[in-house]
């Protein structure tokens, strides 16, 4: 995914999220007041800019494609990869805050699936390595998602609050309540 390059120097303050300047780096003159933050991945930043920024704006298809590509390189928290995961998210955030918000849940879903000893390729829900993922685990008293099991499998019913990108991603890891206070995570096709 890239290497850490602490010698890269950003000459201007961090630009706004939709500014094309977010992708420009000047290595010519040192400015000791705005050194690149530790953990920043300049190679990844250039790649993300090239793949996800179009007309000074984030391209949602490009952002989702970048997320799937990062997940293929096992960029995820846990198992010794948390530093790489955090570096990738920080770097994406420096390119564009929206980009980081698209990449994070996709990588988190892959981490959850990995921890459950599952692949992101799940034939029962038609997911594969090109699928895009979200994670929806928030609950409120007014919005409850219930899980019921019968002889044909699990059925989820109810409401789930705060499902960012649900109209954009193809699949999600979503939590639902079982009878009682227990909850369980489910991989679903959206």
């Amino acid at each position: 995914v890239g290497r850490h390059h602490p010698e890269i120097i950003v000459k201007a303050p961090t630009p706004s999220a939709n500014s094309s300047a977010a992708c420009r780096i000047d290595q010519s003159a040192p400015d000791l007041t705005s050194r690149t933050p530790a953990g920043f991945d300049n190679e990844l930043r250039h790649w993300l800019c090239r793949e996800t920024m179009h007309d000074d704006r984030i391209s949602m298809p490009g952002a989702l494609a970048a997320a799937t590509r990062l997940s293929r390189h096992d960029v995820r928290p846990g198992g010794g990869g948390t530093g790489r995961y955090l570096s990738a998210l920080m770097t994406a955030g420096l390119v564009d805050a929206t980009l980081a918000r698209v990449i994070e849940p996709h990588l988190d879903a892959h981490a959850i699936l990995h921890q459950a000893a599952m692949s992101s390729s799940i034939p029962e829900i038609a997911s594969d390595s090109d699928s895009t993922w979200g994670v929806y685990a928030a609950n409120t008293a007014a919005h409850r998602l219930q899980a019921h099991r019968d002889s044909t499998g699990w059925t989820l019913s109810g409401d789930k609050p705060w499902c960012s990108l649900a109209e954009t991603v193809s699949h999600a890891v979503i939590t639902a309540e079982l009878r009682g206070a227990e909850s369980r995570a489910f991989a679903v096709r959206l």
Side-chain angles (χ1 to χ4, degrees):
V1 175
R3 294 180 304 275
H4 174 63
H5 296 281
E7 69 280 2
I8 304 302
I9 297 165
V10 178
K11 289 182 72 173
T14 303
S16 66
N18 288 325
S19 167
S20 62
C23 291
R24 291 192 203 119
I25 298 175
D26 187 337
Q27 298 175 336
S28 61
D31 177 354
L32 300 178
T33 62
S34 60
R35 287 202 176 269
T36 301
F40 173 80
D41 186 329
N42 192 48
E43 185 178 329
L44 177 60
R45 181 180 189 180
H46 284 292
W47 178 78
L48 288 170
C49 286
R50 208 172 44 252
E51 298 297 317
T52 66
M53 299 296 289
H54 302 286
D55 297 324
D56 297 336
R57 301 193 67 164
I58 192 74
S59 156
M60 190 59 67
L64 292 168
T68 59
R69 188 158 175 199
L70 286 169
S71 63
R72 288 183 192 128
H73 290 279
D74 294 328
V75 176
R76 64 174 170 256
T82 302
R84 218 164 55 128
Y85 164 81
L86 292 173
S87 176
L89 289 181
M90 182 180 72
T91 302
L94 288 172
V95 171
D96 187 281
T98 299
L99 177 60
R101 291 199 53 176
V102 171
I103 290 173
E104 180 187 19
H106 179 83
L107 297 180
D108 288 351
H110 276 257
I112 292 165
L113 293 169
H114 180 76
Q115 289 171 354
M118 295 177 67
S119 162
S120 63
S121 295
I122 306 169
E124 295 85 359
I125 59 171
S127 67
D128 58 27
S129 62
D130 291 325
S131 297
T132 54
W133 289 80
V135 175
Y136 308 121
N139 291 309
T140 69
H143 297 93
R144 300 183 106 53
L145 186 65
Q146 300 288 321
H148 305 281
R149 188 173 194 167
D150 62 24
S151 61
T152 62
W154 289 96
T155 300
L156 305 182
S157 61
D159 296 321
K160 194 66 168 173
W162 304 300
C163 296
S164 300
L165 301 170
E167 72 284 352
T168 307
V169 297
S170 61
H171 294 80
V173 173
I174 187 167
T175 59
E177 294 179 7
L178 305 175
R179 289 194 177 144
E182 184 183 357
S183 65
R184 182 174 181 166
F186 296 86
V188 299
R189 182 178 184 173
L190 299 178

